[in-house]
Amino acid sequence: ICFPVTITKIEPEDKKQPAKNLIGDGTHESTPKNAQEYIAAIKKSGNKITSKEAQRVVESIEEWVNDSKYIREDQKTGKFNQQAEDITNYVQNSTPYKGEIHRGLRMASREEAMAWLKGDENGILDNQSAHASWTSNPDIAKQFAYFSYAGRGTQPVVIKSINKTGASIEGIASSGQDEVIVLKYTRHKVKNIAEKDGIIYVETEEVDGVPDSTPQTSS
């Protein structure tokens, strides 16, 4: 006799629900530029934050812009990182950037790139369980694909997606890179792959969490 078994999807512990009222309007121009503006925006949204917390969030984002390596390394190894938590809170308090975003990567080889682009059994790309920097400017993504990790790879890859959850940090970053941070539990599924002038262009779709498993039965 077979009985249906319901597979319950368990959300990651750090996937907190965003505030009901979010700051900004989904544009780069609406993002706060400093701790004082962040406090004002949070209070205007009807939520609370201390000056110390706001300053820490701003400093964490500035550290991310300067060098995100150590924050990402902690996340990839499952180590707690306060800066990563601060960035998570900022993104979840912000209206998601409205529009298309891009990410430039440089892989060791074309073979490695194509193997990665196969994704898992559901076609979901490995995001290394870490926050990631994207940009609304495709030319900037292409530059990163060509020049990031110089000497460590030969295959540039540019990914694009319609953003659903990532937030702009352009006001605080002041980098001119139109940066959007996408949180570590965000998942992207490959829709199309094309190659032009040595670059692999990948169109993806942001999906809601990890797809549910296929219903199973046990006897």
Side-chain angles (χ1 to χ4, degrees), residues 1-9 121-122 211-219:
I1 300 174
C2 293
F3 299 94
V5 176
T6 301
I7 307 298
T8 302
K9 182 172 67 176
E121 65 274 13
N122 296 301
D212 289 319
S213 301
T214 302
Q216 302 176 5
T217 61
S218 63
S219 57

Side-chain angles (χ1 to χ4, degrees), residues 106 110 145-146 154-157 194-201:
R106 191 169 180 85
R110 182 182 183 281
Y146 271 121
T154 59
Q155 180 59 62
V157 178
E195 296 186 60
K196 182 179 180 181
D197 299 329
I199 301 178
I200 298 176
Y201 290 93

Side-chain angles (χ1 to χ4, degrees), residues 99-166:
E100 193 172 80
I101 57 174
H102 311 259
R103 189 178 185 209
L105 302 171
R106 191 169 180 85
M107 306 295 243
S109 65
R110 182 182 183 281
E111 290 72 25
E112 180 183 276
M114 296 307 291
W116 177 68
L117 289 170
K118 289 181 180 179
D120 62 13
E121 65 274 13
N122 296 301
I124 305 299
L125 293 177
D126 176 18
N127 68 353
Q128 299 181 314
S129 297
H131 297 344
S133 291
W134 293 61
T135 174
S136 62
N137 188 327
D139 291 332
I140 290 176
K142 188 184 295 186
Q143 290 173 15
F144 272 91
Y146 271 121
F147 302 116
S148 63
Y149 308 109
R152 301 182 188 178
T154 59
Q155 180 59 62
V157 178
V158 175
I159 307 170
K160 73 175 181 179
S161 182
I162 299 298
N163 181 62
K164 292 183 180 179
T165 57

